Amino acid sequence: MAEDTSISAKRLLEFSVGLGVLTLVATYVVGTTGGRVAPFIPIISEMPFSGPEASFYGPGLAISIFSFILLAQVFHRVFAPQAQALGGNWESWNDMARALATFGGVCGIITVNFHWNSYALLHGAAALLFFTSFLLWSTFAWRLLEKSGRSHTVRRYAVFAGWLFYLFMLVFSALDSQELVADGEGFFYRMENPPMVGDERSLYLNLMALCEWSMVFSFYTGALTFRRELEGVRL
């Protein structure tokens, strides 16, 4: 009998989340202890500009995100029976969700490898598309499973928290830009000039960074709630 060499989807999900968290925490610890990153509170994208952390931040997060791109194809297959049973537009939405997650994942890989200090416009646009795509996918998956009788309280709160922190992040970003305009800078000054470790940080910038970290960890928390949907599923 041939040995089964396929990969457990559940283990791949755990690997994706674990590698993502480990990469972010390691980047923060190495950057702050080396004096290259502001300890409280850096925007995630400002951490990998230099030092040892620049060598593992991009590859670590890219592998984590690529793993989720693979999982998006698996979730499309897992969700297909529920979408068919619900009828209406759910099957089409399931197809769209797979495409959206794949597109968002590609944007995420671009985000973590084309850094803010060198590719400001590309990095910013890709990051916005990445966050938005993953929030939309998470919302679709939550609603599909809720309607199929597979509700999960933590998943629901993770989706709500993700949207809340995402919206507040945008609000605080706009307020930070307005403050810079009042000081005589252009509205897009922050996008073109990422904060460095020695820069004075406004309250809005700190709140924006806090919301970004909170949003990302709400993604990871929500992702782990899909483990039971992947029980016994292999790639």
Side-chain angles (χ1 to χ4, degrees):
M1 186 175 181
E3 182 181 356
D4 184 5
T5 59
S6 60
I7 302 171
S8 165
K10 178 182 174 183
R11 293 287 175 261
L12 183 61
L13 175 64
E14 294 168 345
F15 168 78
S16 177
V17 172
L19 180 61
V21 172
L22 180 62
T23 301
L24 288 176
V25 172
T27 302
Y28 174 80
V29 170
V30 174
T32 53
T33 55
R36 293 176 297 276
V37 174
F40 187 84
I41 183 171
I43 297 171
I44 292 173
S45 295
E46 74 179 81
M47 294 197 299
F49 290 166
S50 62
E53 61 272 21
S55 64
F56 61 78
Y57 171 90
L61 289 182
I63 293 171
S64 172
I65 295 168
F66 181 73
S67 298
F68 192 83
I69 292 177
L70 296 178
L71 287 166
Q73 320 313 311
V74 177
F75 279 120
H76 178 264
R77 189 174 77 232
V78 170
F79 293 159
Q82 289 101 321
Q84 186 175 25
L86 289 172
N89 294 318
W90 284 98
E91 288 185 272
S92 297
W93 291 342
N94 190 31
D95 294 338
M96 290 172 59
R98 174 174 63 173
L100 191 63
T102 303
F103 171 73
V106 172
C107 289
I109 292 173
I110 292 172
T111 300
V112 300
N113 284 286
F114 290 83
H115 299 322
W116 186 4
N117 60 335
S118 301
Y119 305 93
L121 182 59
L122 175 63
H123 176 89
L128 184 63
L129 292 170
F130 171 48
F131 292 149
T132 307
S133 298
F134 270 50
L135 279 168
L136 290 171
W137 182 89
S138 300
T139 304
F140 162 79
W142 159 60
R143 289 299 297 153
L144 175 73
L145 293 172
E146 284 260 319
K147 284 185 168 292
S148 301
R150 297 180 66 83
S151 61
H152 195 295
T153 302
V154 173
R155 181 183 302 141
R156 181 169 65 251
Y157 288 148
V159 170
F160 288 164
W163 279 110
L164 182 66
F165 289 126
Y166 171 81
L167 294 174
F168 273 121
M169 180 182 70
L170 296 180
V171 168
F172 290 132
S173 176
L175 291 172
D176 177 62
S177 294
Q178 285 186 345
E179 195 171 73
L180 288 169
V181 169
D183 291 338
E185 305 292 352
F187 188 79
F188 296 104
Y189 176 85
R190 180 69 71 200
M191 182 181 74
E192 299 167 352
N193 298 273
M196 305 306 287
V197 63
D199 292 349
E200 183 179 352
R201 291 167 185 265
S202 70
L203 174 63
Y204 296 134
L205 184 64
N206 283 331
L207 289 173
M208 178 177 66
L210 180 62
C211 287
E212 183 191 30
W213 280 92
S214 301
M215 176 188 64
V216 168
F217 277 93
S218 74
F219 287 167
Y220 288 136
T221 301
L224 289 175
T225 66
F226 292 102
R227 292 169 68 250
R228 69 180 184 180
E229 271 65 50
L230 297 179
E231 288 283 357
V233 178
R234 306 191 72 83
L235 272 68

